[in-house]
Amino acid sequence: MSELLDNIAGKFLTLYKSSPLLVESPGRVNLIGDHTDYNDGLVLPATINKSINLGLAPNQIHRIRAYSIDLNESVEMNLNHLEKSDKQWFNYIKGIVIELDKIGVQTQGFDIVFGGDIPIGAGLSSSAALEGAVLTGLNEVFELNLTKGEMAKIGQLTEHNHIGVNCGIMDQFVNLHGQQNAALLLDCRSLGFKVIPFNRKDIKIVICNSRVSHNLASSEYNLRRTQCEEGAELLRKYDSKIVNLRDVSFELLEKHKDELATEVYNRCKFVLDENKRVIDASKCLLSSDFLAFGKIMFQSHQGLSEEFEVSCNELNTLVEIAKGQKGVLGSRMMGGGFGGCTINLVEDQYVGNFCENIFGGYKERMGLEAEIYITQINSGAKVLEADLKLP
Ligand code: GLA
């Protein structure tokens, strides 16, 4: 058992005098397809070898007691009086219980201890990992019989109603459905997905953490979503079948370009292009054409930066530095934007140089020390041990 799992079990025994069910729940990367999910579009994410580990066990006292190892903070609340906590991490746990209750699924009291190595607020979906961990744990110990799809939706509703981020379904979905050495080509409308193998030893997924997280991230994120909805609403006048941007064709968008505010047009154009890029990039993956895949990643970054305007100086700098490096096939910002990480596809033999040059170049240009992670694609959230035997 890892040191963290040992820690969790030990802390659980000290705090709650019981032994927990253990869950592992990963962070994610998105190879391509950003800001498409809440437009019912396509995405290509994968779960990685950075995760949250969580211990969970029922208690008989009708309360939630939770402890974060990394922050050394604990919160306790009565299940009948769940309210907003000043500890944001607890709001995810509380939100899940309330959202479950809304669909008629009740839990009894429970205890939690968790920790992990997914950097918080860095665009690797530490929040979806926490949601997936809590839901997987609750599902198991209270035998809730929820499907992974249902759990993903509860996680998403938790973000909407308890955190204030009107996110799409990508992060929660891949957290629960992710597979080892494969990305998921997910249709965010039907929630149907195709497993696309990604297991080339000679190509690495390298993540560069800009170490900035601009605080306009959630308000600008919600604004982008509203702008996309505004575009779809206007175009619906010309085709009543349009529900959202997924249903809009390039032809229709161009025909009515002048009726849309420039910003709204740019947002819509980006989403249509990005959906197409996901399809094209998936075909490249299937035919192992990583050169073409990488080119599409660069195009995606340009669109995110110039048309969707969710990048920032730090992310653009990381991509610019990457672009000039030997062995770099593709690079782009990833996730919601306004800070966080870039994702880079790098030929294995050049990874060492790449890391050095990114670190040095970013420090020189931005005065910041990037964190760099060479990731592997791991499976989605899962129960580790049904019944941990303590000494
Ligand atoms: C965040 C959201 C996702 C998705 C991405 C952008 O990660 O949680 O739903 O919208 O941003 O692709």
Side-chain angles (χ1 to χ4, degrees):
M1 204 161 61
S2 79
E3 204 182 314
L4 175 58
L5 290 173
D6 270 344
N7 250 335
I8 289 174
K11 201 75 198 171
F12 220 94
L13 191 61
T14 316
L15 290 173
Y16 311 130
K17 316 280 175 269
S18 66
S19 71
L21 173 93
L22 292 172
V23 176
E24 182 177 85
S25 179
R28 66 103 186 87
V29 291
N30 187 21
L31 291 167
I32 195 143
D34 272 316
H35 292 273
T36 46
D37 62 352
Y38 52 81
N39 292 299
D40 272 359
L42 306 170
V43 291
L44 191 63
T47 34
I48 58 172
N49 57 332
K50 283 195 166 291
S51 57
I52 283 180
N53 282 159
L54 176 138
L56 189 149
N59 63 36
Q60 309 304 320
I61 56 173
H62 204 66
R63 299 175 79 80
I64 306 176
R65 297 183 295 190
Y67 175 72
S68 156
I69 292 189
D70 301 322
L71 299 170
N72 188 22
E73 288 174 353
S74 45
V75 179
E76 183 173 338
M77 261 184 217
N78 187 308
L79 270 181
N80 292 341
H81 305 286
L82 293 177
E83 50 192 47
K84 198 171 161 72
S85 167
D86 59 350
K87 312 269 187 292
Q88 184 70 323
W89 57 268
F90 188 81
N91 291 322
Y92 292 95
I93 303 173
K94 168 216 91 169
I96 285 168
V97 172
I98 294 177
E99 292 304 319
L100 283 173
D101 190 59
K102 282 187 194 166
I103 58 163
V105 176
Q106 267 120 30
T107 65
Q108 294 143 42
F110 59 90
D111 300 324
I112 279 181
V113 172
F114 74 100
D117 63 356
I118 311 175
I120 295 171
L124 297 177
S125 283
S126 56
S127 55
L130 178 56
E131 290 152 12
V134 173
L135 278 156
T136 302
L138 291 175
N139 200 34
E140 181 81 14
V141 299
F142 294 118
E143 296 177 8
L144 304 179
N145 290 321
L146 297 167
T147 63
K148 290 179 181 182
E150 286 166 337
M151 290 196 274
K153 283 192 180 147
I154 292 288
Q156 185 191 21
L157 287 171
T158 300
E159 297 274 353
H160 291 188
N161 300 333
H162 304 272
I163 305 298
V165 178
N166 294 329
C167 65
I169 193 81
M170 168 170 73
D171 302 345
Q172 291 75 15
F173 194 92
V174 72
N175 167 266
L176 291 153
H177 295 81
Q179 300 200 10
Q180 197 152 20
N181 296 327
L184 302 186
L185 169 57
L186 171 65
D187 177 336
C188 298
R189 172 168 280 174
S190 68
L191 296 188
F193 65 93
K194 192 172 159 71
V195 176
I196 313 249
F198 188 112
N199 54 2
R200 286 271 295 259
K201 300 256 175 312
D202 56 333
I203 294 171
K204 292 279 180 290
I205 298 174
V206 186
I207 301 302
C208 299
N209 184 351
S210 66
R211 308 275 302 277
V212 295
S213 135
H214 295 292
N215 50 17
L216 35 76
S218 56
S219 59
E220 286 292 324
Y221 181 95
N222 291 346
L223 177 62
R224 293 301 175 283
R225 185 172 180 153
T226 312
Q227 289 169 330
C228 291
E229 285 163 3
E230 205 181 310
E233 194 181 324
L234 190 135
L235 295 168
R236 196 172 300 132
K237 278 199 293 200
Y238 304 103
D239 179 354
S240 60
K241 288 197 285 301
I242 292 174
V243 176
N244 52 33
L245 288 184
R246 172 68 180 270
D247 308 306
V248 173
S249 66
F250 283 103
E251 292 72 29
L252 192 80
L253 178 64
E254 290 312 313
K255 196 167 163 198
H256 300 285
K257 180 175 177 177
D258 295 342
E259 296 160 56
L260 297 166
T262 312
E263 264 188 1
V264 172
Y265 168 78
N266 286 341
R267 310 300 189 236
C268 296
K269 168 82 167 43
F270 167 80
V271 172
L272 267 58
D273 281 336
E274 186 78 350
N275 273 328
K276 180 165 183 316
R277 282 191 279 264
V278 176
I279 297 171
D280 294 344
S282 302
K283 286 183 186 153
C284 294
L285 258 197
L286 286 168
S287 62
S288 278
D289 188 349
F290 282 89
L291 266 182
F293 190 96
K295 281 201 187 113
I296 301 175
M297 288 175 76
F298 283 119
Q299 289 162 7
S300 166
H301 181 77
Q302 195 176 353
L304 285 160
S305 172
E306 292 168 15
E307 292 171 343
F308 215 70
E309 296 182 279
V310 288
S311 188
C312 59
N313 204 0
E314 293 85 354
L315 291 170
N316 291 343
T317 303
L318 284 171
V319 171
E320 269 166 38
I321 302 171
K323 209 170 193 168
Q325 302 301 313
K326 213 166 181 178
V328 173
L329 301 163
S331 174
R332 62 180 207 94
M333 61 146 279
M334 182 181 74
F338 303 102
C341 295
T342 62
I343 175 169
N344 305 268
L345 286 194
V346 186
E347 289 175 46
D348 188 41
Q349 55 178 317
Y350 296 109
V351 166
N353 279 345
F354 172 80
C355 295
E356 257 176 51
N357 293 336
I358 285 280
F359 188 85
Y362 189 61
K363 181 143 197 206
E364 192 185 308
R365 287 175 60 175
M366 303 305 301
L368 291 166
E369 300 197 341
E371 254 175 29
I372 304 173
Y373 324 115
I374 302 160
T375 54
Q376 277 143 29
I377 302 185
N378 263 2
S379 53
K382 56 179 179 288
V383 171
L384 289 178
E385 274 181 74
D387 189 10
L388 179 74
K389 301 274 177 297
L390 286 164

